[in-house]
Amino acid sequence: MTAPADTDPQLTSWVPSAQGSPFPIQNLPYGVFSHDEEEPRVGVAIGDRVLDLAALAWANLLEVPKAAQLFQATSLNPFLGRGRWTWQTVRRNISDLLSGVDPRLREDSRLSERALLVRDELTLHLPFQPGDYVDFYSSLEHATNLGRLFRPDGDPLLPNWRHLPVGYHGRSSTVVVSGTPIIRPRGQRRPEPGGIPPFGPTEALDIELELGFVTGPGNTLGTPIPADRAAEHIFGVVLVNDWSARDIQAWEYQPLGPFLGKSFATSVSPWVVPLEALAPHRVPHRAQEPEPLPYLRTTGDWAFDIDFEVVLQPAGGEPTTISRTNARRLYWSCAQQLAHTTVNGCAVRPGDLYASGTISGSERGTEGSLIELTRRGAEPLTLSSGAQRTFLEDGDTVILRGVAGGGGRPAIGLGEVVGTIAPAPT
């Protein structure tokens, strides 16, 4: 994919805070915000500001039909449903306005004051309403790490893993925006042989660092989306923490897969980064052996060079970075995930969320979950305060961060996903 002109590293904005920010003019991620008692509406992050797209629409600065209806909406779904031509047109309009190529916003002081809002003074909401949520298992290193923990004397990968993107259908009603407290879930756990399963709060609450993608127009029921047409249907990416209750999951998941151990909360960043913003950070996909079946074959670069950081902060304590990793080594790409999801004719709709599964590396300190970092609890992590963790305790805060950049190019931030653990209900 050739990088579009609006990702030119020399492009600058007249918004002072944009330069050196994770939200420079080359990024322009979309979100939903509200100010004071006003209704939520759609905006774009630029530096430490949010550009109110509804205000631009009312000023007739956006060259798409019925723009006000799109951006006064309380989610991105109507915009996502318009498709690639609308996405590209609006992005070009915004880039021109914020760079000064189109001077109308910069020269209208009353409009710019009304449309450029201080981000810290706003409330950020879930940016899209996912009708469906699918979680994959796309990291070879993660799958291998877990396989060695659970099957130490066998092949760490199950026979199907290298032939298809393994996934499961999650619960979209508990997809929440960053900052939402995570209530410790309750459920059954594995009993002693011949015993009754104990019921209560999970004792193995975990994180999963993931990269998600959000869909646009979708397809009609019964019509697959070819892998090489995925860019027509994938609007952008979000940072995801797919929280997991490992002890609940271990008891329930056979034979049908995860249920209560996963469905209690999935946190996403408030910003959706368009695929166009990541064009300069797309890299060749890792080799796949054996070669995938024809419907899973792609052309072009579908891996993303995005660095991730996982931070754990106990209540009243200092934050500790517990993992650093990168998305470029994911085995199954988002294009392949979408093609596999729809090859049976499954219908995709605007705002559906698809997550990569835990992103891990093969080296210590690059794992994207506590179950890997602590070797299933056998090797506790020591935090900067001296406290130790195998799994999360009440009051712990987890912060995920993602940034693409380097090589002389501006950083493209995915924002943060923050969640603090609240006690289980009594």
Side-chain angles (χ1 to χ4, degrees):
M1 179 177 180
T2 302
D6 52 36
T7 62
D8 184 342
Q10 303 305 315
L11 191 66
T12 59
S13 172
W14 51 267
V15 178
S17 60
Q19 280 65 252
S21 161
F23 300 131
I25 194 170
Q26 290 81 4
N27 191 344
L28 304 180
Y30 290 78
V32 171
F33 73 94
S34 61
H35 186 244
D36 295 332
E37 301 299 320
E38 298 171 346
E39 283 292 303
R41 54 196 186 276
V42 177
V44 161
I46 178 73
D48 63 1
R49 305 289 168 138
V50 172
L51 181 63
D52 184 344
L53 296 191
L56 296 190
W58 281 114
N60 294 315
L61 298 184
L62 300 177
E63 300 169 0
V64 294
K66 300 182 180 179
Q69 293 181 17
L70 294 181
F71 300 124
Q72 287 184 138
T74 58
S75 83
L76 284 169
N77 289 39
F79 176 59
L80 298 175
R82 284 284 192 91
R84 195 167 181 79
W85 179 86
T86 296
W87 305 342
Q88 292 178 331
T89 301
V90 171
R91 179 175 170 85
R92 186 185 68 249
N93 290 165
I94 296 169
S95 180
D96 287 349
L97 289 165
L98 292 175
S99 66
V101 170
D102 181 341
R104 289 177 292 172
L105 179 62
R106 182 180 59 186
E107 293 178 355
D108 188 337
S109 59
R110 292 181 63 185
L111 176 60
S112 61
E113 183 177 351
R114 187 169 72 250
L116 280 167
L117 305 171
V118 178
R119 191 171 71 245
D120 288 346
E121 297 176 358
L122 306 176
T123 299
L124 300 179
H125 302 273
L126 188 66
F128 51 90
Q129 294 297 325
D132 283 291
Y133 167 51
V134 175
D135 191 33
F136 287 98
Y137 194 42
S138 298
S139 166
L140 174 62
E141 286 74 19
H142 172 67
T144 301
N145 290 342
L146 288 192
R148 287 171 176 160
L149 288 173
F150 296 140
R151 297 180 296 276
D153 298 323
D155 190 335
L157 296 181
L158 295 176
N160 64 347
W161 199 91
R162 289 182 181 270
H163 293 276
L164 56 84
V166 174
Y168 72 93
H169 191 211
R171 185 170 177 83
S172 61
S173 65
T174 45
V175 175
V176 296
V177 72
S178 171
T180 304
I182 304 302
I183 300 171
R184 183 176 294 273
R186 298 184 297 172
Q188 295 185 28
R189 302 191 300 276
R190 189 185 304 277
E192 296 296 329
I196 301 298
F199 176 85
T202 178
E203 297 175 355
L205 185 55
D206 201 353
I207 62 168
E208 291 193 356
L209 165 68
E210 306 193 18
L211 181 66
F213 69 87
V214 183
T215 53
N219 58 327
T220 57
L221 183 66
T223 306
I225 296 175
D228 274 340
R229 293 184 59 186
E232 299 173 26
H233 299 272
I234 298 175
F235 172 71
V237 304
V238 290
L239 194 54
V240 177
N241 189 345
D242 194 33
W243 308 86
S244 297
R246 299 296 184 186
D247 45 1
I248 296 173
Q249 183 179 353
W251 173 235
E252 73 179 2
Y253 83 103
Q254 293 178 327
L256 293 181
F259 190 43
L260 300 186
K262 300 287 292 182
S263 63
F264 59 97
T266 298
S267 299
V268 301
S269 52
W271 300 109
V272 185
V273 176
L275 278 188
E276 285 82 358
L278 291 170
H281 308 284
R282 290 170 68 158
V283 294
H285 198 266
R286 71 185 294 170
Q288 294 178 307
E289 179 62 39
E291 184 180 19
L293 293 178
Y295 79 94
L296 290 170
R297 295 173 193 168
T298 58
T299 57
D301 296 337
W302 275 103
F304 298 97
D305 187 9
I306 302 174
D307 290 317
F308 298 107
E309 177 185 30
V310 181
V311 176
L312 199 163
Q313 182 173 6
E318 294 296 317
T320 302
T321 296
I322 60 173
S323 178
R324 297 182 189 275
T325 194
N326 190 286
R328 68 184 301 152
R329 295 281 293 164
L330 279 172
Y331 190 87
W332 295 106
S333 72
C334 57
Q336 292 173 316
Q337 291 162 10
L338 187 61
H340 184 66
T341 298
T342 62
V343 72
N344 68 345
C346 172
V348 171
R349 294 171 292 183
D352 286 352
L353 174 65
Y354 298 80
S356 62
T358 305
I359 301 173
S360 295
S362 56
E363 300 176 356
R364 297 295 277 140
T366 63
E367 304 95 334
S369 66
L370 289 171
I371 194 171
E372 297 168 84
L373 286 162
T374 69
R375 296 297 187 258
R376 212 176 179 181
E379 301 176 16
L381 295 176
T382 300
L383 307 181
S384 58
S385 63
Q388 291 192 321
R389 290 290 186 276
T390 51
F391 293 100
L392 296 174
E393 297 185 4
D394 291 350
D396 286 349
T397 296
V398 177
I399 306 167
L400 309 184
R401 299 188 180 104
V403 178
R409 286 194 167 272
I412 302 298
L414 276 63
E416 293 184 340
V417 174
V418 181
T420 300
I421 309 305
T426 56

